[in-house]
Amino acid sequence: MSVLRNLEEKIAGLVEGTFGRVFRSEVRPVELARKLAKEMDEHRTVSVSRTYVPNEYVVWLSPQDRERYEGVEQSVIDELGAYLLEHARRERLALVSKPQIEFRTDDRLALGEFGIQARLIEPYGAGGSASSEAPAARPADMGHTMVYSTSARHQDALEDVGSGAGVGRRRAIVVVNGKRLLVPPQGALIGRSREADIVVDDTNVSRRHAELLPGGNGWRIQDLGSTNGVRVNGRQVDGPHPLESGDRIELGTVTVTFEVE
């Protein structure tokens, strides 16, 4: 078994064991570990002979989720740091220091949503600066926070979360099994596959069932050749079909409510 898999199981054990008795939220440590690694991969900086990655990470949690980490936060942070170190070693990525992870609270985030801000910071000690080959942290690398939902797997800039200013900034939301999930502004794949943006875990839903698409006149849904089809407000749809807030979308035997706010 790989070291990363062992670390994932150890992190998961924090939830299933002692940690599980105090942590009841959609934001699970294993999901945080995977998204942190994703942010590391997506913020690579290629230098002369190395590929550098961020060494500082801020994890933003909703007030409800942050409260559930009380008493075990540092243990989780230590395991997440070990996971990132092993990921960097395995992918042959360069770190100018050990990964520094900090948890913070953001009132704009809902339960199950979390943000990650990744930055490359050069450490300076008494003996001088870090390696001259390491790139300096750029302003563009700071302040850009990606927000994730563990259910919807959406991502959006943190400054856009909760903003309803302007028609083009209205948020699309789907309600699946009682859970309100944000739709990424660029659209979303709906299906049973874990790679979908909005995962519907039901055998009557195809792996790639349908797609939500934004447009100048609003949102629409497109069937992707699913087995059980797509119905909107009880009517079968074939090609791209416009959506309005309050529409009921049937994916096989699963009903999803579409909302705009």
Side-chain angles (χ1 to χ4, degrees), residues 34-165:
R34 292 168 181 167
K35 294 303 185 184
L36 283 166
K38 180 177 184 291
E39 289 301 309
M40 173 181 279
D41 290 339
E42 292 187 353
H43 290 82
R44 302 185 184 195
T45 300
V46 179
S47 189
V48 178
S49 60
R50 297 181 180 180
T51 299
Y52 287 90
V53 289
N55 59 326
E56 181 178 288
Y57 300 84
V58 177
V59 177
W60 298 90
L61 297 167
S62 69
Q64 302 97 314
D65 283 317
R66 181 72 186 278
E67 183 180 357
R68 286 162 171 78
Y69 275 101
E70 185 177 356
V72 294
E73 186 171 296
Q74 191 57 52
S75 297
V76 175
I77 287 175
D78 290 343
E79 294 297 340
L80 293 175
Y83 185 87
L84 286 181
L85 275 174
E86 178 58 27
H87 178 78
R89 184 200 64 79
R90 184 176 182 179
E91 298 297 323
R92 297 182 179 179
L93 302 172
L95 285 161
V96 296
S97 71
K98 290 179 60 178
Q100 302 296 316
I101 302 172
E102 179 183 358
F103 284 2
R104 296 182 187 176
T105 305
D106 193 296
D107 294 335
R108 294 171 293 178
L109 296 174
L111 182 68
E113 295 175 356
F114 61 95
I116 296 177
Q117 180 186 44
R119 304 194 298 179
L120 173 57
I121 302 296
E122 289 188 66
Y124 288 88
S129 66
S131 169
S132 59
E133 185 184 332
R138 298 168 295 174
D141 293 331
M142 303 180 186
H144 185 62
T145 304
M146 301 310 295
V147 177
Y148 294 94
S149 166
T150 55
S151 299
R153 287 170 172 77
H154 83 279
Q155 58 185 38
D156 195 2
L158 181 60
E159 55 269 22
D160 291 342
V161 175
S163 172

Side-chain angles (χ1 to χ4, degrees), residues 15-18 31 56 59 65 82 114 121 126 135-137 162 170 177 179 182 188 192 200 220 224 232 235 249:
V15 178
E16 302 301 331
T18 304
E31 189 73 19
E56 181 178 288
V59 177
D65 283 317
F114 61 95
I121 302 296
R170 296 179 67 193
N177 296 325
K179 297 179 181 179
L182 284 171
R192 198 176 72 252
V200 182
R220 58 193 189 281
L224 298 179
V232 176
R235 299 182 59 181
I249 304 170

